Amino acid sequence: LSSGSSSMNMACIGDADPFTAAIPATKVELTVSCRNLLDRDTFSKSDPSNVLFSLTIFFQFLFQFGRTEVIDNTLNPDFVRKFILDYFFEERQNLHSLCNLFLGSSSCKCVSIFHPMCFLVCFLQDFLGQAFCTLGEIVGSLGSRLEKPLIGIPGKKCGTIIVRAEELSNCRESVMLQFCGNKLDKKDFFGKSDPFLVFYRSNEDGSYTICHKTEVVKNTLDPVWQAFKIPVRALCNGDYDRSIKVEVYDWDRDGGHDFIGEFSTSYREMSRSQSQFHIYEVIFFTHTLVTLLSCLVDTELSFLDYIRGNPSQPTSLHYMSPYQLNDYAMALRAVGEIIQDYDSDKMFPALGFGAKLPPDGRVSHEFALNGNPQNPYCSGIEGVMEAYYQSLKSVRLYGPTHFSPVINHVARYASAVMDGSQYFILLIISDGVITDMAQTKESIVNAASLPMSIIIVGVGPAEFDEMIELDGDEERISSQGRYAERDIVQFVPFRDYIDRRGNHILSMARLAKEVLAEIPDQFLSYMRTRGIKPGPLPPPYTPCPPQAIHPLLTRRVSRI
């Protein structure tokens, strides 16, 4: 929950769109393929794997980010295992990819290219080539697909590496699928077939990205593959109507797997088959069928889901008790009832973050508590409280928790009024989990030059190390080498001010006194550094002669 307060009506800033803030970091999935690799085996083809290294900016060394699976007997591998990275537009993220011929144990690790373990890896794995690029190169390539030649072996053409990037959605569903085949084509001379399935998701340019392989079922034309669980994000990246291609192969020891046929489907089509079988005709040979035996959809719960809980359960920090306020509500009322006296119109925009919104379950880190994104304003603190309680009944609390969007929201308003006529106070109430710490620090550093302050109240039993760091009392907050112009953040853990005898009024009074203690100094710091003087006072009230005005028309006029 967050609520923003200004000294005047913020609705006068009509050119700012409060609900278009972008999150600086994005999760990106990399899929790797290779073509025309060197054949380093004597009696068969190479068994390649791919290792991804990332170059650290500060220490200038490579560390192993991850590695793919090993694919036997092929010079043109399409690796199923993906690399998932945080993509920062403003940073240069250097990547180094190694292709190895696998000969030994997969437990061998290469921590950095300067580590002695590398020599052990060299004995166990034949080097096939390497490529260097930045994550920005991949994302910025046509269709986010980058193809580069592999280098590293003098006098040899090492082939090419193909890397495709795709931004990951917030879809957290997973699906358990099981398939069987019927009357598959016979491919083996002395036996039947050894069939397996390969799943691909379609791309915008008409190409396909591999996302799953089943196990091989030996010597049968009527296989029943084991059920497998796959994230919907991997299968279609949350797009239920995205085309999914399934290819059927007969496994061969030499890697030259025989193509049996293929069929197309979508996640939406498969999910409709939860109560009945769905039969697909395999295109290539007639009378060949693959049947979807079961499709069980589930939602992957995260650590944050267990922390937040259900607002209707007493274990939740948002528990709506009929007898007393929860910590969120107490903190909101304690601080809000004081700062509202300095707001001329008592209209407060109130935002929530970290929830799934109706009707489509879209995850939002910046939504109006009153359900009206065009007008998120609430009348007084009572209106904010009512909007908070109503939102708990309509949204589903959901991770991750990003602070930067709501900070950027208020900063956009503050940046439009730099003359001192308005000062903005953002109140953030949260449980201590911040999942976009780097972006939050960047937002605070940017906001430190604006007429605004941030109050953070931590509720619940969690550790608040990250929030303490944002406070900046011990060390001025910085981001990418830039320090905040001034300290604009005040953090307090609510639990330190709760009265042990259960006196909630006393608890709220203690909290309000502590969190608001730094606001006057932060306000004066902004005004003084910019040489802004107080505006002229209104003329003193001078009553008119009694005989010149009707008694019923007399009223006292005041201005804040």
Side-chain angles (χ1 to χ4, degrees), residues 44 52 96 188 208 274 420:
S44 63
L52 179 68
H96 178 202
D188 291 347
Y208 286 86
Q274 296 187 59

Side-chain angles (χ1 to χ4, degrees), residues 191-210:
K192 297 180 181 178
S193 288
D194 305 318
F196 66 96
L197 302 177
V198 184
F199 292 76
Y200 302 85
R201 64 171 184 250
S202 62
N203 302 311
E204 291 183 357
D205 60 1
S207 62
Y208 286 86
T209 298
I210 189 170

Side-chain angles (χ1 to χ4, degrees), residues 223-299:
V224 178
W225 290 282
Q226 294 179 10
F228 63 92
K229 189 173 186 179
I230 182 172
V232 173
R233 191 168 68 175
L235 196 61
C236 62
N237 204 14
D239 182 355
Y240 291 1
D241 296 309
R242 188 171 182 171
S243 177
I244 299 170
K245 182 175 69 172
V246 184
E247 294 180 342
V248 188
Y249 286 93
D250 167 48
W251 177 84
D252 285 337
R253 187 179 300 275
D254 63 1
H257 310 309
D258 298 317
F259 181 69
I260 295 177
E262 66 179 44
F263 63 90
S264 295
T265 183
S266 67
Y267 175 70
R268 189 182 301 279
E269 184 177 285
M270 290 190 293
S271 62
R272 291 171 181 161
S273 308
Q274 296 187 59
S275 58
Q276 59 184 5
F277 294 165
H278 193 102
I279 300 175
Y280 298 97
E281 183 176 353
V282 177
I283 302 173
F284 197 67
F285 282 99
T286 58
H287 308 300
T288 297
L289 303 176
V290 171
T291 301
L292 174 59
L293 297 177
S294 65
C295 175
L296 302 176
V297 180
D298 192 15
T299 298

